[in-house]
Amino acid sequence: MNDQDPRQGPDWVEDVKTEVTGMAKEGINHPSTGPVLTGAAIGAVAGLVLPIVSWPVGLLAGAGFALYQRIKK
């Protein structure tokens, strides 16, 4: 018997793969594209403001966090 949440197991890699593939195929029409792009923009701005983090690192971190938020729902 498996009592754990299915999104907490190793299937999260498949969830991410499915989400990213859907975003690549559907482009801006995919429901996750907008939030992920917004997260990337916020991360890039934070990377510009913070002295230790550059904007590409902030962009990737923001996009990754936004994607994670979409997947865990």
Side-chain angles (χ1 to χ4, degrees), residues 7 35-36 62-73:
R7 295 173 197 244
V36 170
F65 181 74
L67 182 61
Y68 170 74
Q69 292 294 318
R70 294 291 297 182
I71 296 298
K72 80 172 196 171
K73 284 185 180 180

Side-chain angles (χ1 to χ4, degrees), residues 21-45:
T21 302
M23 286 172 30
K25 286 182 180 177
E26 295 179 35
I28 199 72
N29 295 325
H30 193 275
S32 292
T33 302
V36 170
L37 289 177
T38 302
I42 291 170
V45 170

